Amino acid sequence: LIWIRTRPRGRRCRRSCTRSGSLFVTRRLTLSAKEVKALEDVCRQIIDKTKELNYKFRGPVRIPTKTLRITCRKTPCGEGSNTWDRFEMRLHKRVIDLNCPINKVKEITGFKIEPGIVVNVSFP
């Protein structure tokens, strides 16, 4: 096992472990969707694939639901009684940290993801 610095000195430094030449890096997957069930299914598939390949992971961490609200008048012309429509959209988020080689992230997330689910891959 060899320890390699992944960030320059002066900043908060994390070290990654290497096994047989492939660099292990922590990647953060941020998944967001409007529907909870579809989001939980994708998280479960990612975790199952990670366990199958024997890599370490952390999560899914549930981020508080963001509720977007819009209130508007029902009548387009402004005449009549003041009646209002209220619309809201809820955005659910999950965060998963994967500790695996760089080239294996695509293999872990390489299954068909339902439309409406946004996956962002970044360094923590």
Side-chain angles (χ1 to χ4, degrees), residues 18-33:
T18 62
R19 258 191 248 161
S20 67
S22 62
L23 182 65
F24 274 55
V25 178
T26 301
R27 296 285 181 143
R28 177 161 287 166
L29 299 178
T30 306
L31 299 101
S32 59

Side-chain angles (χ1 to χ4, degrees), residues 2 4 15 17 57 59 84-85 89 96 104 114 118 124:
I2 304 169
I4 297 175
R15 295 180 178 193
C17 177
F57 67 93
W84 298 85
D85 271 333
M89 180 172 64
I96 301 173
K104 293 293 182 179
E114 293 181 26
V118 179

Side-chain angles (χ1 to χ4, degrees), residues 86-115:
R86 292 180 210 91
F87 301 99
E88 78 174 25
M89 180 172 64
R90 295 180 180 184
L91 297 176
H92 307 276
K93 254 187 190 180
R94 304 288 184 265
V95 175
I96 301 173
D97 290 336
L98 298 176
N99 190 6
C100 63
I102 297 170
N103 55 357
K104 293 293 182 179
V105 174
K106 189 152 189 150
E107 183 180 332
I108 290 171
T109 59
F111 56 90
K112 185 179 178 190
I113 296 175
E114 293 181 26

Side-chain angles (χ1 to χ4, degrees), residues 44-95:
R44 185 183 42 77
Q45 288 176 353
I46 290 173
I47 288 171
D48 289 346
K49 187 72 170 177
T50 307
K51 284 181 182 177
E52 179 184 310
L53 295 172
N54 292 328
Y55 294 123
K56 292 181 182 177
F57 67 93
R58 207 178 299 158
V61 177
R62 288 157 180 82
I63 306 297
T65 303
K66 182 184 278 189
T67 305
L68 305 175
R69 291 188 180 100
I70 295 175
T71 306
C72 60
R73 287 284 305 268
K74 281 187 178 181
T75 60
C77 63
E79 295 292 323
S81 62
N82 293 339
T83 54
W84 298 85
D85 271 333
R86 292 180 210 91
F87 301 99
E88 78 174 25
M89 180 172 64
R90 295 180 180 184
L91 297 176
H92 307 276
K93 254 187 190 180
R94 304 288 184 265
V95 175

